[in-house]
């Protein structure tokens, strides 16, 4: 069945349709929505409307004034355009010229919050609800949106603001404070704590070189207070910014009740599109006493740092937190069930990192599985399986660092016919669900080729938003995405590992440098550092860059730019750097 809808060529990609038709089209592949270009309200009425309550696909929200023919413009409109009813000729968007901004008294809902209590008020007047949270609002009718975003982290907010700025009516919801893992419970607060560890380590490295570190102390509580100075304002600041950009902010746990219906606290929301950006959560470990472990969120909020810390798993969380804890005076032990931790990084550089960590007090025990954790009077007793032999170790704190899985379990995806697996929502390359065309996913909640990194989640969300706005099929470009492990010093990877390049049949020139005695490391007293650069001999292009050393995470950004744009090693070496600097080491690495 084909349904023709009017399309205003003068406004950017606007198509008017009844909300029920949007839902129907999302549910049934036999329903096709087509468009016919029109210039006036009268022409739109001749094309036909399909209900008195309408919204915009690929455009802004609008509601009819109780009769067919209600057109809405919330950005800009030609004088013959209507707002709310054919009789209204003015535009209500704040950025419109003053002579086109009108006050219509036929609004069915508050334009900002969706509250129907202001049905007789000008739509651009102050609403009584003051953008009240969902729990304080009562709805007498379904709430209709062009886009409903589940997850208010960096990815979700990026998509929400992009679509709202294009004129869509957008809502976003999260059960947790706005900001997501990176800003509140991950990357940013972690690196603030790392700064304290960096200072301590830097002073110790300069011991006997003009710096006396004997009086140096580490005040964990003050460092944590410094961290809160950054994280505490984030949720309100982010929510205010979203509202300023026209996004409706909601709080609560969202779940699907249909292909294009989302429910929060018993209220159902109709939407044309949904973006799932719920991130990831610590995976279940399935051993007795798992409940005694804390996760990364709790570690980043510890009031006091205990002396004996066990980290379960040999991944990012364990290594980064262990390096912080060791510099703060604790004795951390990392248990990894495999023989090689950090498998996604270059094996040779990982061994250098483990050796350097041991010098700082970070112990790594390989081939060891945790079989259970029990509470004791003094703390916890961790039961181990070391190559088939049972063992125990006592600790004051046990930290979950054994990986994360997509946070999808409470979304009721089955009700929306959204296919998913252990790696996230099953999406096509352009990030649209393979089983429900109304649903897109980005970041850790999507099963994509992208790394589980905040910058990747953000650009996936922007690509998804663009595809939704334009009915497009753009595929994210993951080339040369750097990933950094912020131990001390840091470990970085870009592009292929050595074995991956050879497995792909490439003729590889491996350029390895021991940078431990280079000037940039000697200057700060650092004794460990290395670089491994992989060059495709046939093209002279850089296909892999693996770095271990102080400040090398910043150096990786230059490699990333060169690799993304296909520069050859010779072209990159032609750069004149500031000197002396870590960046000036780049030419020697090549």
């Amino acid at each position: 069945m084909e349904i023709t809808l009017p399309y205003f060529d003068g406004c950017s990609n606007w198509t008017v349709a009844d909300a029920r038709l949007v839902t129907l089209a999302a549910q049934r592949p036999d329903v096709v929505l087509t468009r016919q270009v029109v210039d006036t309200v009268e022409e739109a009425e001749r094309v036909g409307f399909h209900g008195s309550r309408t919204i915009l696909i690929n455009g802004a929200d609008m509601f009819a004034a109780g009769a067919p023919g209600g057109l809405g413009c919330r950005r800009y409109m030609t004088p013959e355009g209507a707002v709310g009813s054919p009789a209204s000729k003015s535009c209500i968007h704040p950025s419109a010229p003053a002579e086109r901004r009108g006050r219509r008294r036929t609004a069915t809902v508050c334009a900002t919050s969706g509250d129907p209590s202001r049905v007789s008020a000008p739509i651009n007047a102050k609403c009584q609800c003051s953008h009240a949270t969902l729990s304080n609002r009562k709805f007498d009718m379904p709430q209709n949106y062009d886009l409903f975003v589940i997850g208010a982290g960096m990815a979700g907010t990026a998509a929400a603001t992009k679509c709202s700025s294009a004129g869509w009516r957008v809502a976003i919801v999260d059960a947790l404070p706005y900001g997501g893992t990176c800003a509140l419970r991950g990357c940013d607060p972690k690196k603030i704590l790392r700064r304290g560890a960096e200072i301590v380590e830097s002073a110790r490295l300069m011991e006997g070189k003009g710096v006396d570190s004997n009086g140096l102390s580490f005040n964990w509580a003050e460092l944590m207070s410094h961290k809160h100075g950054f994280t505490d304002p984030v949720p309100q600041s982010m929510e205010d910014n979203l509202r300023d950009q026209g996004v409706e902010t909601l709080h609560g746990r969202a779940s699907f009740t249909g292909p294009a219906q989302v429910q929060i606290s018993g209220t159902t929301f109709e939407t044309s599109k949904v973006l799932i950006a719920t991130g990831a959560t610590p995976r279940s470990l399935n051993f007795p006493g798992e409940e005694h472990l804390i996760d990364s969120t709790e570690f980043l909020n510890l009031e006091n740092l205990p002396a004996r810390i066990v980290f379960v798993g040999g991944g990012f969380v364990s290594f980064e937190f262990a390096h912080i804890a060791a510099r703060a005076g604790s004795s951390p032990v990392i248990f990894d069930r495999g023989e090689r931790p950090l498998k996604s990084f270059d094996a040779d550089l990982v061994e250098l990192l483990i050796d350097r960590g041991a010098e700082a007090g970070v112990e790594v025990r390989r081939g060891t599985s945790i079989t259970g954790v029990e509470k004791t009077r003094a703390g916890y007793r961790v039961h181990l399986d070391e190559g088939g032999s049972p063992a125990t170790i006592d600790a004051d704190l046990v930290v979950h660092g054994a990986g994360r899985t997509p946070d999808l379990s409470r979304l009721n995806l089955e009700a929306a016919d959204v296919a998913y697996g252990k790696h996230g929502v099953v999406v096509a390359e352009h990030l649209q669900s393979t089983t429900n065309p109304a649903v897109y996913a980005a970041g850790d909640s999507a099963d994509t080729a992208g790394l589980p990194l905040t910058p990747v989640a953000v650009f996936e969300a922007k690509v998804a938003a663009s595809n939704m706005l334009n009915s497009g099929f753009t595929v994210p470009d993951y080339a040369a995405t750097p990933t950094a492990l912020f131990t001390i010093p840091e470990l970085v990877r870009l592009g292929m590992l050595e074995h991956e390049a050879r497995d792909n049949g490439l003729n590889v020139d491996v350029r390895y440098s021991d940078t431990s005695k280079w000037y940039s490391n000697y200057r700060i007293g650092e004794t460990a550092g290395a670089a491994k650069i992989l060059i495709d001999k046939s093209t002279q292009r850089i296909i892999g860059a693996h770095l271990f050393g102080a400040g090398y995470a910043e150096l990786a950004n230059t490699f990333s730019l060169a690799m993304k744009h296909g520069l050859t090693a010779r072209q990159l070496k032609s750069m004149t750097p500031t000197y002396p600097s870590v960046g000036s080491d780049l030419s020697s690495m090549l």
Side-chain angles (χ1 to χ4, degrees), residues 355-561:
D355 290 344
R356 179 67 179 83
E359 294 176 9
V362 179
E363 182 182 357
V364 179
R365 290 167 65 170
R366 316 184 203 202
T368 304
S369 298
I370 309 296
T371 58
V373 177
E374 63 175 307
K375 187 83 173 67
T376 65
R377 287 186 177 181
Y380 301 95
R381 178 155 294 160
V382 182
H383 295 266
L384 313 168
D385 180 347
E386 293 186 307
S389 300
T392 62
I393 184 173
D394 291 334
D396 302 308
L397 186 70
V398 187
V399 182
H400 186 321
R404 297 166 67 83
T405 59
D407 190 8
L408 304 173
S409 62
R410 290 166 289 195
L411 293 180
N412 194 25
L413 295 176
E414 292 80 5
D417 191 27
V418 174
Y420 65 98
K422 65 179 181 179
H423 299 299
V425 174
V426 180
V427 294
E429 288 187 328
H430 61 284
L431 304 171
Q432 186 178 34
S433 165
T434 57
T435 55
N436 183 341
V439 174
Y440 288 70
D444 292 354
S445 57
D447 187 356
T448 70
L451 295 170
L453 305 169
T454 297
V456 172
V458 170
F459 75 65
E460 281 186 349
K462 290 179 178 179
V463 169
S466 180
N467 286 337
M468 287 186 281
L469 287 167
N470 302 303
S471 300
F473 297 90
T474 301
V475 176
D477 179 8
Y478 300 111
T481 301
T483 179
L485 178 74
F486 284 104
T487 48
I488 303 175
E490 58 255 38
L491 178 64
V492 189
R493 170 190 174 170
L494 296 96
M496 295 183 180
L497 295 169
E498 188 175 347
H499 74 84
E500 292 173 342
R502 298 191 192 284
D503 290 346
N504 278 275
L506 298 177
N507 189 5
V508 185
D509 180 8
V510 180
R511 302 181 182 180
Y512 180 86
S513 303
D514 178 354
T515 66
S516 61
K517 294 181 173 59
W518 287 12
Y519 173 80
S520 56
N521 279 317
Y522 176 84
R523 181 184 69 85
I524 62 175
E526 182 55 72
T527 58
K532 182 185 287 189
I533 312 301
L534 309 182
I535 309 293
D536 183 348
K537 289 183 179 180
S538 64
T539 64
Q540 286 302 299
R541 290 181 175 175
I542 304 164
I543 56 175
H546 307 279
L547 312 170
F548 169 58
Y552 285 1
E554 296 293 344
L555 187 60
N557 294 323
T558 304
F559 275 108
S560 177
L561 186 65

Side-chain angles (χ1 to χ4, degrees), residues 321-339:
F321 288 179
H323 271 249
I324 293 171
R327 273 70 177 199
S330 296
S331 298
V333 183
I334 299 171
F335 289 99
D336 189 43
R337 64 182 180 182
E339 289 301 323

Side-chain angles (χ1 to χ4, degrees), residues 4 73 99 147 217 219 277 284 305 312 343 387 421 442 472 474 535 555 580:
T4 302
C73 166
E99 64 272 14
L147 173 63
S217 64
N219 189 315
S284 177
L305 192 68
V312 180
K343 294 181 179 64
T474 301
I535 309 293
L555 187 60

Side-chain angles (χ1 to χ4, degrees), residues 149-160 172-174 176-185 238 242 277-279 454 457-458 461:
V149 180
I150 305 176
M154 303 306 292
T157 55
I172 189 169
V173 64
D174 206 311
L176 296 172
Y178 279 37
T181 297
C182 183
L184 300 178
R185 305 177 291 276
M238 185 169 286
L242 285 163
T278 50
T454 297
V458 170

Side-chain angles (χ1 to χ4, degrees), residues 205-344:
L205 289 174
M206 292 299 292
E207 186 74 36
K209 303 177 181 67
V211 174
D212 184 357
S213 64
N214 287 335
L216 195 66
S217 64
F218 200 112
N219 189 315
W220 181 264
E222 287 186 358
L223 183 61
M224 191 61 68
S225 177
H226 179 51
K227 183 222 71 166
H228 280 293
F230 173 81
T231 58
D232 288 358
V234 167
Q236 190 61 53
S237 174
M238 185 169 286
E239 194 164 352
D240 289 345
N241 181 60
L242 285 163
R243 287 172 176 169
D244 288 345
Q245 298 191 59
V247 178
E248 182 172 352
T249 58
L250 305 173
H251 296 269
R253 192 163 301 284
S255 61
F256 284 92
T257 57
Q261 295 81 34
V262 176
Q263 187 176 88
I264 309 170
S265 302
T267 297
T268 298
F269 299 82
E270 300 278 349
T271 181
S272 298
K273 301 292 183 186
V274 179
L275 177 70
I276 299 173
T278 50
T281 189
R283 72 177 183 87
S284 177
L285 298 178
N286 297 318
F287 56 65
E290 178 183 3
E291 68 275 9
H292 298 308
L293 276 66
I294 69 166
D295 60 17
S296 56
T297 299
E298 294 167 292
F299 184 91
L300 289 169
N301 286 291
L302 287 173
E303 294 182 1
N304 299 290
L305 192 68
R308 304 170 299 169
I309 307 176
V310 163
F311 290 92
V312 180
F316 277 73
V317 168
S318 293
F319 271 86
E320 291 180 336
F321 288 179
H323 271 249
I324 293 171
R327 273 70 177 199
S330 296
S331 298
V333 183
I334 299 171
F335 289 99
D336 189 43
R337 64 182 180 182
E339 289 301 323
R340 184 192 151 195
L342 303 171
K343 294 181 179 64
S344 61

